[in-house]
Amino acid sequence: MVMKVYGDGMSACVARVLLCLHEKETEFELVPVDLFACHHKLPSFLSMNPFGQVPVLQDGDLTLFESRAITAYIAEKHKDKGTDLTRHLDAKEAVIVKLWSEVESHHFNPAISAVIHQLIVVPLQGKTPDAAIVEENLEKLGKVLDVYEEKLGKTKYLAGDSYTLADLHHVPYTYYFMKTGHAGLVNDRPNVKAWWEDVCSRPAFLKVSPGLTVAPATN
């Protein structure tokens, strides 16, 4: 029985899981959840994730939510298939992957997701983006990218010289971000730009990116 992913491919968090599945060369079924119709708030969905958010993964009798927990599970279950996303054969390398994955979760994601929320979600709701929120989080994001610029001057990827979950987790939100008028935050940092051009050109992401179809506002 193949894994089932409940969600919409335009969701960055769903795309994060789909990207992991493709990197691990693992079969799956994407079960569509209509976010605009609020199907993720229906009792049938809430029985899988009481927080009413996508994605949800079902693997036999196991049900998981939270995208990073799901990618960790996929990477561990299929550690001998596809790309080694956790560097599981070396404890020191593995913990560095976890460290930079934590950086993404606690430093990068809050800033970039706030920007994307204002430039994508708010306009879809027929509202005007809050410029103050955008600017505040662009400043935070810039500081994180300064750290990345230094790190990526020493290693090809964030956790070393191999592509891992620490890189993968960044990709969907960054893809949306690069379509905004603020892409210079990445492009003006040569090491970050080279890293981004590398990770967004991977075959696994080229299979996922067509689903990331929402057009952000440009400012």
Side-chain angles (χ1 to χ4, degrees):
M1 182 180 298
V2 300
M3 295 181 179
K4 292 183 178 181
V5 179
Y6 292 80
D8 189 316
M10 72 176 182
S11 160
C13 294
V14 173
R16 187 179 286 138
V17 170
L18 302 183
L19 180 53
C20 182
L21 285 161
H22 283 300
E23 287 285 354
K24 299 307 292 184
E25 301 173 3
T26 300
E27 292 185 12
F28 65 92
E29 176 187 353
L30 178 60
V31 181
V33 177
D34 190 335
L35 303 179
F36 292 103
C38 293
H39 287 177
H40 54 307
K41 303 300 183 181
L42 295 175
S44 58
F45 188 87
L46 293 173
S47 68
M48 296 186 293
N49 181 357
F51 297 103
Q53 296 176 326
V54 294
V56 167
L57 177 82
Q58 284 189 335
D59 186 17
D61 61 357
L62 176 67
T63 299
L64 295 174
F65 50 89
E66 298 297 339
S67 62
R68 294 173 190 80
I70 295 172
T71 59
Y73 170 73
I74 294 166
E76 174 61 23
K77 179 175 181 177
H78 298 289
K79 60 186 177 184
D80 296 322
K81 290 177 61 177
T83 306
D84 179 4
L85 294 173
T86 59
R87 309 303 297 166
H88 64 280
L89 294 177
D90 186 297
K92 291 183 179 179
E93 291 185 19
V95 77
I96 296 300
V97 174
K98 292 179 180 178
L99 185 157
W100 284 97
S101 295
E102 289 291 311
V103 171
E104 182 276 331
S105 178
H106 296 290
H107 298 279
F108 177 88
N109 189 74
I112 199 169
S113 62
V115 173
I116 297 305
H117 178 81
Q118 289 298 318
L119 298 184
I120 293 182
V121 179
V122 169
L124 287 174
Q125 296 172 337
K127 302 176 183 178
T128 302
D130 187 322
I133 293 176
V134 173
E135 288 304 315
E136 176 187 355
N137 283 282
L138 286 173
E139 183 178 355
K140 292 178 181 178
L141 182 60
K143 291 178 180 178
V144 176
L145 292 178
D146 285 342
V147 175
Y148 285 19
E149 178 68 11
E150 181 178 357
K151 179 66 172 70
L152 292 166
K154 301 173 183 176
T155 58
K156 184 176 182 179
Y157 299 101
L158 286 170
D161 290 321
S162 299
Y163 177 84
T164 67
L165 288 180
D167 307 290
L168 181 153
H169 287 165
H170 290 77
V171 175
Y173 269 120
T174 307
Y175 178 80
Y176 276 134
F177 183 80
M178 295 302 290
K179 293 183 175 295
T180 75
H182 306 290
L185 264 72
V186 170
N187 290 331
D188 292 345
R189 294 168 169 84
N191 297 326
V192 176
K193 181 182 179 182
W195 166 79
W196 170 243
E197 290 175 347
D198 182 307
V199 299
C200 75
S201 65
R202 292 179 65 84
F205 185 62
L206 297 180
K207 295 177 181 178
V208 172
S209 59
L212 295 170
T213 56
V214 181
T218 57
N219 54 32

